[in-house]
Every structure is written in C-alpha cells, then in structure tokens.
Amino acid sequence: MLNNLLKNKFKIIIAILIIVCFGVIRAFEVKLFYDPFLIYFESDFKNAPFPPVDSFKLLSALLFRYFLNTILSLILIYTLFRDLEILKFSAFIYGFFLVLLFVLFFTILNYFPDGNWLLFYVRRFIIQPIFVLLFIPAFYYQQQNLKK
C-alpha cells in the first residue's frame, strides 16, 4: 500500500490541491461572485418572493463559477484517470448540463415565483462541484469492469 501511495504521489498532490481550490471558491464565494440567492437561501425562504436580481450580473457570476468548477473537475478527472476519452466525455456532459441547468434556472426564476425549492436545487448543481462527485466513482467502476 505504501508503494502504491508513493507511486501515485503526484496524483494525490494534484487531487488535494484541486480540493483545496474548491474550498477556496466556496470560502470566498461572497467576495468573488454576485449572488443575491446566497443570503436568500440562508433565510426562511419557503414563502418569500425571490430577491431582486440583476440578470446579467447573475448570469455572468454563475457562468464564471460553473466554469471554475468545471475546469477544476476536468483537471481532477484527467489527473485520476489519465484517459482522454473520459475527459472528452466529461467535457461534453459538463457542456450539456451547462445549457440545461441555466435554461432551468432562468425559467424558474422568471416564470415560477413559487419554485423556491426547485430553484434551490438547480442553483446548487450550478454552483457546487456535484457532478465530479458522481463522475469519479462512475468512471472508476467502469474502469474496474473493463479490467475484468
């Protein structure tokens, strides 16, 4: 086991740095990104109307955050698996979810004023690196099955 750790120390160091970067993004989210929903979702939002938003600033901030999380996630996936096909597939999936989630987010925001919980979860997928938590075990499982 120790030999395995020493052999993969570069992977481990890069993975730890990327996880720290995810933490830094989360720790400084108030300073780095325009997001009136940070305060809104910390309060009792169940019956509260959505806060007023500057749509362009919100779109820009969400896109920037999604982009940062995507780049870090793709680097982490490539570092762990060293497979360009997995990287291409992941990039495609991230692009697909970018379009889907942003359409859902702004549709809920503009046309469903009572969709607080739905907006909460769609926004969560945009601003948090949840996909990488799903992809890494899936790709690992796939690689283990291919080895058999």
Side-chain angles (χ1 to χ4, degrees), residues 44-62:
D44 184 22
F45 64 90
K46 293 174 193 117
N47 296 318
F50 294 139
V53 298
D54 180 341
S55 293
F56 180 74
K57 280 177 71 174
L58 182 60
L59 174 66
S60 300
L62 290 175

Side-chain angles (χ1 to χ4, degrees), residues 80-81 86 134-147:
L80 295 176
F81 297 103
I86 288 176
L134 300 172
F135 292 168
I136 289 173
F139 293 145
Y140 178 77
Y141 180 76
Q142 179 186 14
Q143 278 190 338
Q144 293 306 308
N145 277 346
L146 289 176
K147 288 179 183 177

Side-chain angles (χ1 to χ4, degrees), residues 14-30:
I14 296 296
I16 290 170
L17 286 174
I18 291 171
I19 292 168
V20 167
C21 288
F22 283 135
V24 168
I25 290 171
R26 173 80 172 159
F28 294 105
E29 66 186 353
V30 174

Side-chain angles (χ1 to χ4, degrees), residues 18-133:
I18 291 171
I19 292 168
V20 167
C21 288
F22 283 135
V24 168
I25 290 171
R26 173 80 172 159
F28 294 105
E29 66 186 353
V30 174
K31 294 178 183 175
L32 291 173
F33 310 106
Y34 167 78
D35 193 353
F37 290 102
L38 287 171
I39 297 167
Y40 175 77
F41 285 124
E42 288 176 357
S43 66
D44 184 22
F45 64 90
K46 293 174 193 117
N47 296 318
F50 294 139
V53 298
D54 180 341
S55 293
F56 180 74
K57 280 177 71 174
L58 182 60
L59 174 66
S60 300
L62 290 175
L63 275 172
F64 181 55
R65 188 159 182 183
Y66 188 85
F67 177 75
L68 286 176
N69 286 333
T70 299
I71 294 299
L72 289 171
S73 298
L74 291 174
I75 293 169
L76 181 59
I77 288 169
Y78 184 73
T79 300
L80 295 176
F81 297 103
R82 297 280 183 204
D83 187 336
L84 281 177
E85 292 303 314
I86 288 176
L87 183 67
K88 288 177 190 176
F89 178 74
S90 299
F92 174 78
I93 294 296
Y94 273 102
F96 171 78
F97 279 116
L98 168 74
V99 173
L100 179 69
L101 289 170
F102 276 83
V103 167
L104 283 172
F105 182 85
F106 283 101
T107 300
I108 295 165
L109 184 62
N110 292 316
Y111 299 108
F112 297 96
D114 296 330
N116 303 32
W117 281 107
L118 189 57
L119 187 72
F120 175 82
Y121 288 111
V122 170
R123 182 181 157 276
R124 185 67 47 204
F125 273 93
I126 292 172
I127 68 170
Q128 300 299 329
I130 295 171
F131 292 125
V132 78
L133 295 175

